[in-house]
């Protein structure tokens, strides 16, 4: 057994928790489940997989619950996951090798998040800090909690050979209920900590869940304007989300201001693809073509297709607009089984 304890906090998760725990079982990790007040079968199911099931009185503080779960572990290495995250891939030998060299750092899992864009199911991949040694690190933040060192500094990070699939489905009514709850907690956290780019990012994400893009843009811009580390995943995500919100709001001139960030993010296909979209909306066809072409040469990406079929589809669309039907066909054919491209090929 690796000296790692998987810690989870749960409330009314009987839809997800069994699949989550079932996939972890072959790894033989110690598992701690902390329930915060379930009225469904969550506790009953958890006890089938571990005898370390505890109750925690909910106090509107996710970090408090996370840190309590870590305190119940037998091991110092803590791997935090959510009930709707299902293990997809793991290399136990490589995982063991990473532990001794990274005592004060945070291990980053890969998480695949499904989403729908233009009616097509796609996947966004992200790195999230989830593994840490409790002798050196803990959680801070009432909501959208982050791992920090015990003296409050942001720790270094290292990649983990661990991939999870984020099921993450909730009904629209549940989504709005969670977003309303989260909003109250985030605003309290902001009042307590003062200007904070990560809280601004999460406020923006929350307002997207509430379909209030104007408010999302407001908070994303506050976060972007702070002095932040452009290498942080959330900073890249915040910048790209800001751009897409501006596109949705048809504020294309304001979106063009992201050219100022180009040197920071131009090695990432998602940002280059976004710039292509902005140029396309502004009918700056040559610049758009250049960005989509560049996106297809980049290996670093989060959203599936931005460096392949989605970029090729937009190139084809531009050539079709410009009247070059042969070029349009050429790029639609590069899209493989992408439905929109197949439809355009039929119509051409």
């Amino acid at each position: 057994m690796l000296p790692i304890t998987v810690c989870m906090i749960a409330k009314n998760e009987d839809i997800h928790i069994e699949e989550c725990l079932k996939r972890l079982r072959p790894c033989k990790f110690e598992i701690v489940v902390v329930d915060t007040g379930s009225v469904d079968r969550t506790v009953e199911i958890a006890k089938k997989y571990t005898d370390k099931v505890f109750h925690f009185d909910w106090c509107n503080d996710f970090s408090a619950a996370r840190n309590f779960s870590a305190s119940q572990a037998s091991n110092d290495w803590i791997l935090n996951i959510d009930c709707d995250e299902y293990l997809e891939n793991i290399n136990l030998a490589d995982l063991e090798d990473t532990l001794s060299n990274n005592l004060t750092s945070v291990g980053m899992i890969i998480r695949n998040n499904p989403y729908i864009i233009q009616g097509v199911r796609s996947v966004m991949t992200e790195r999230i800090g989830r593994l840490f040694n409790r002798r050196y690190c803990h959680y801070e933040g009432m909501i959208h909690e982050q791992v920090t060192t015990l003296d409050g500094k942001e720790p270094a990070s290292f990649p983990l050979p661990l991939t999870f699939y984020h099921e993450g489905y909730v009904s629209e009514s549940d989504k709005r209920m969670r977003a309303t709850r989260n909003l109250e907690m985030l605003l309290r956290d902001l009042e307590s900590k003062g200007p904070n780019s990560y809280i601004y990012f999460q406020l923006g994400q929350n307002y997207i869940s509430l379909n209030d893009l104007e408010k999302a843009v407001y908070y994303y811009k506050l976060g972007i304007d702070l002095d932040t580390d452009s290498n942080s995943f959330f900073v890249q995500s915040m910048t790209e989300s800001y751009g897409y919100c501006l596109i949705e709001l048809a504020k294309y001139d304001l979106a063009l201001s992201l050219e100022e960030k180009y040197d920071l993010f131009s090695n990432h296909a998602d940002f280059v693809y976004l710039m292509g979209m902005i140029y396309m909306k502004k009918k700056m066809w040559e610049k758009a073509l250049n960005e989509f072409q560049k996106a297809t040469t980049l290996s670093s990406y989060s959203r599936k297709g931005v460096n392949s079929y989605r970029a090729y589809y937009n190139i084809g669309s531009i050539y079709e607009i410009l009247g070059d039907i042969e070029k349009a066909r050429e790029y639609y054919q590069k899209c493989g089984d992408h439905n929109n491209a197949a439809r355009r090929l039929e119509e051409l």
Side-chain angles (χ1 to χ4, degrees), residues 151-163:
D151 58 4
K153 296 178 182 177
E154 184 175 348
S157 62
F158 61 98
L160 291 174
L162 268 169
T163 302

Side-chain angles (χ1 to χ4, degrees), residues 58-326:
W58 182 242
C59 59
N60 288 326
D61 189 328
F62 281 92
S63 285
R66 296 274 189 210
N67 291 330
F68 172 77
S69 69
S71 73
Q72 304 305 311
S74 303
N75 301 303
D76 287 328
W77 281 104
I78 307 298
L79 174 62
N80 263 291
I81 65 170
D82 292 332
C83 297
D84 60 356
E85 294 171 344
Y86 305 155
L87 183 65
E88 284 192 314
N89 291 296
I90 185 169
N91 186 315
L92 291 171
D94 286 352
L95 180 58
E96 185 173 16
D97 288 343
T98 66
L99 299 185
S100 59
N101 299 321
N102 294 285
L103 280 176
T104 61
S105 302
V106 176
M108 311 289 282
I109 67 167
I110 298 170
R111 189 172 77 168
N112 292 322
N113 304 284
Y115 69 103
I116 304 294
I117 181 166
Q118 298 175 330
V120 178
R121 187 177 176 86
S122 191
V123 174
M124 184 183 78
T125 300
E126 59 183 336
R127 285 263 184 195
I128 310 177
R130 290 294 184 80
L131 179 73
F132 64 92
N133 191 300
R134 67 180 178 183
R135 290 184 294 154
Y136 302 96
C137 299
H138 68 163
Y139 272 100
E140 288 190 4
M142 294 174 61
I143 185 168
H144 297 300
E145 58 283 6
Q146 287 182 293
V147 181
T148 64
T149 59
L150 294 178
D151 58 4
K153 296 178 182 177
E154 184 175 348
S157 62
F158 61 98
L160 291 174
L162 268 169
T163 302
F164 287 84
Y165 173 81
H166 184 212
E167 174 61 28
Y169 173 77
V170 291
S171 67
E172 282 301 315
S173 60
D174 283 346
K175 186 186 295 184
R176 292 190 68 82
M177 181 182 68
R178 289 187 189 184
T180 302
R181 175 206 66 189
N182 292 352
L183 180 60
E184 294 173 359
M185 296 174 69
L186 283 165
L187 290 173
R188 284 203 302 272
D189 219 10
L190 183 64
E191 185 177 0
S192 167
K193 292 182 176 178
N196 182 291
S197 59
Y198 185 72
I199 297 176
Y200 287 143
F201 166 61
Q202 293 296 349
L203 280 165
Q205 298 291 86
N206 205 72
Y207 275 113
I208 284 181
S209 295
L210 292 169
N211 296 316
D212 190 338
L213 298 189
E214 292 281 2
K215 281 281 183 65
V217 161
Y218 172 75
Y219 282 108
Y220 286 145
K221 185 66 166 60
L222 288 177
I224 290 168
D225 286 346
L226 289 179
D227 185 17
T228 52
D229 180 3
S230 60
N231 292 316
S232 294
F233 180 86
F234 85 87
V235 175
Q236 294 185 15
S237 182
M238 175 166 57
T239 305
E240 291 158 11
S241 297
Y242 174 69
Y244 280 114
C245 283
L246 291 175
I247 289 174
E248 285 293 314
L249 294 169
K251 296 185 177 183
Y252 307 134
D253 289 334
L254 192 54
L256 273 176
S257 67
L258 288 178
E259 288 177 324
E260 299 171 3
K261 304 289 184 182
Y262 195 86
D263 289 343
L264 295 175
F265 304 119
S266 59
N267 62 338
H268 196 59
D270 294 73
F271 182 81
V272 173
Y273 177 90
L274 168 63
M275 291 308 304
M277 291 295 295
I278 294 169
Y279 291 136
M280 195 172 175
K281 293 295 183 182
K282 288 289 293 178
K283 299 183 180 179
M284 301 166 70
W285 306 123
E286 186 174 349
K287 283 193 170 186
L289 286 171
N290 288 340
E291 295 307 304
F292 291 132
Q293 289 280 15
K294 180 178 178 179
T296 65
T297 69
L298 298 173
S299 58
S300 173
Y301 71 94
S302 296
R303 292 174 174 82
K304 188 177 179 182
V306 293
N307 63 345
S308 56
Y309 64 88
R310 289 172 62 187
Y312 289 136
Y313 176 78
N314 286 330
I315 293 171
S317 297
I318 292 172
Y319 278 124
E320 190 175 349
I321 290 167
L322 296 176
D324 192 337
I325 303 305
E326 287 308 309

Side-chain angles (χ1 to χ4, degrees), residues 10-15 17-18 21 33-56 83:
K11 183 177 181 180
N12 296 331
E13 292 283 0
D14 63 1
I15 294 175
I17 196 169
E18 182 133 38
L21 294 173
V33 176
V34 170
D35 186 76
T36 63
S38 295
V39 294
D40 62 2
R41 297 180 57 244
T42 295
V43 172
E44 175 190 340
I45 294 169
K47 286 181 176 178
K48 290 166 54 179
Y49 295 87
T50 177
D51 58 358
K52 303 201 86 170
V53 180
F54 303 91
H55 175 76
F56 180 81
C83 297

